[in-house]
Amino acid sequence: TYVVTDACIKCKYMDCVEVCPVDCFYEGENMLVINPSECIDCGVCEPECPAEAILPDTEDGLEKWLEVNTKYSESW
Ligand code: SF4
């Protein structure tokens, strides 16, 4: 899955939301999040993010952001 990280805070450009084929972006408290169980790992959103806030969760140190994405996307 891909995760949204802190570079998104107060950004919300929404470019990513428009390109996602499965509509798995949700609105968190002050940033957007990706629902990890809906994301199909297509990677289309990553280059669309002007803040470079979207990263694959295979990168180091993103456990915390995966938790944040999970928490806020499942409260809907
Ligand atoms: Fe949506 Fe693809 Fe980005 Fe996952 S990787 S959030 S499916 S655009």
Side-chain angles (χ1 to χ4, degrees):
T1 184
Y2 278 68
V3 296
V4 184
T5 64
D6 51 351
C8 176
I9 293 174
K10 302 208 173 126
C11 158
K12 295 190 177 174
Y13 274 112
M14 311 293 278
D15 300 48
C16 53
V17 179
E18 280 163 36
V19 296
C20 179
V22 293
D23 284 332
C24 63
F25 281 92
Y26 294 83
E27 223 166 307
E29 223 162 90
N30 53 8
M31 60 183 276
L32 296 172
V33 293
I34 291 170
N35 184 328
S37 52
E38 292 175 354
C39 174
I40 56 169
D41 245 337
C42 71
V44 170
C45 57
E46 187 181 4
E48 296 298 324
C49 176
E52 297 183 15
I54 304 172
L55 297 169
D57 79 333
T58 47
E59 284 194 21
D60 286 344
L62 294 182
E63 294 83 3
K64 176 184 157 214
W65 291 107
L66 181 58
E67 267 176 43
V68 168
N69 281 245
T70 304
K71 178 173 167 213
Y72 286 100
S73 59
E74 288 179 349
S75 58
W76 286 85

